[in-house]
Amino acid sequence: QVQLVESGGGLVQAGGSLRLSCAASGRTFSSYDMGWFRQAPGKQREFVAAITRSGGRTYYADSVKGRFTCSRDNAKNTVYLQMNSLKPEDTAVYYCAARRHIVAIITTSAAYDYWGQGTQVTVSS
């Protein structure tokens, strides 16, 4: 089992940047693919980005491509989401998630077994 704790959220003006971190417990972090999802008020949770367990491949939602970068440091048991050129529509609670076994495609929430508690990102116009 793995526990996930997000940090780095906050209030930022449009055009600004934030870096989210997700720290994982346990000694097998490198065995997990990691994903980032977000949920805005009144909307369903949506995929943002994902990174494979080796860090060799990343995936992004079309809405964040070119603006967000997902990376990981397996030595630190941490995955990051660098968010640049933020827009008001990026406002949401951001969640990280982990999966060890491949039961669904990496861009769907059903693929993940473990979730963090979320961190709020608010982008003002």
Side-chain angles (χ1 to χ4, degrees):
Q1 190 168 353
V2 63
Q3 293 183 325
L4 306 172
V5 179
E6 302 98 334
S7 61
L11 173 64
V12 65
Q13 288 190 331
S17 298
L18 282 174
R19 187 176 82 154
L20 305 184
S21 299
C22 173
S25 64
R27 295 178 293 176
T28 58
F29 180 68
S30 60
S31 299
Y32 292 85
D33 297 328
M34 300 297 295
W36 287 97
F37 290 77
R38 66 187 181 187
Q39 188 166 19
K43 294 189 176 181
Q44 289 189 331
R45 188 172 297 189
E46 65 175 0
F47 170 75
V48 176
I51 188 166
T52 54
R53 55 203 69 191
S54 68
R57 189 164 182 178
T58 52
Y59 303 80
Y60 297 96
D62 288 343
S63 59
V64 307
K65 271 181 190 173
R67 300 189 298 123
F68 291 11
T69 302
C70 184
S71 61
R72 67 189 295 161
D73 185 338
N74 284 347
K76 295 183 177 179
N77 282 14
T78 302
V79 63
Y80 305 98
L81 186 67
Q82 177 67 43
M83 304 187 295
N84 299 329
S85 302
L86 282 161
K87 304 175 181 179
E89 51 264 44
D90 294 319
T91 295
V93 177
Y94 283 70
Y95 300 88
C96 71
R99 75 167 190 179
R100 186 160 188 174
H101 304 290
I102 300 173
V103 296
I105 59 173
I106 200 170
T107 57
T108 61
S109 58
Y112 297 87
D113 306 301
Y114 306 102
W115 293 82
Q117 82 289 348
T119 186
Q120 177 71 47
V121 171
T122 302
V123 184
S124 63
S125 57

